[in-house]
Amino acid sequence: LNIFEHIVATAPRFGPVASFVSLVLTTEATQKERDRTAALILTAWDEERLTADDLISAGRSPWRGIREFSAPRVTETLGRIADGGGLALTWPLLTTMAEEIAGQEKIPAPASTVLESLLHYLPEVRAAGVPVDLPNVTALARRKAPIKAVRVAKLIASKL
């Protein structure tokens, strides 16, 4: 985390590389370190050195084939950032992750964590007038599988 703190303190702009590093560090960090990582990311966004597009690029990065990150841990950190006033920063990545997961034939077990976070922030996003289009989540909601991800997707679809 010390290296990441140095990057955050000195980088004039995050971009996709530092953003990818932040997602990987979030996966490997302890609970306390994830709190610090969230605070650092929020500070970079407040200082306009990090954008939602940077996080989306990191989330879609071809480097994920080399270094995967944990969706539940990243989601937890994104939630901390959102709760700290950075929902506009985290919402695009949350929806991107949810759509990617919901579009898979076999839904991974941790998918419900991402979907639950999306469900949690959806009312606030809708109240702000942000358009929400989640075709894969809506399609997941129509599935008949008795899994938690489908149940949460149905709740999301009912609020769209």
Side-chain angles (χ1 to χ4, degrees), residues 17-77:
V17 175
S19 298
F20 183 77
V21 168
S22 70
L23 296 179
V24 170
L25 285 175
T26 294
T27 294
E28 297 176 356
T30 65
Q31 186 78 20
K32 184 178 177 183
E33 290 171 335
R34 280 197 297 279
D35 288 340
R36 181 70 181 136
T37 302
L40 291 168
I41 291 169
L42 189 56
T43 298
W45 181 62
D46 286 341
E47 295 172 352
E48 299 180 353
R49 296 182 295 123
L50 173 65
T51 68
D53 287 338
D54 292 334
L55 290 180
I56 291 172
S57 294
R60 291 181 174 161
S61 174
W63 301 319
R64 281 179 59 192
I66 299 167
R67 189 67 176 210
E68 192 62 44
F69 53 83
S70 163
R73 288 185 177 188
V74 169
T75 300
E76 180 184 333
T77 302

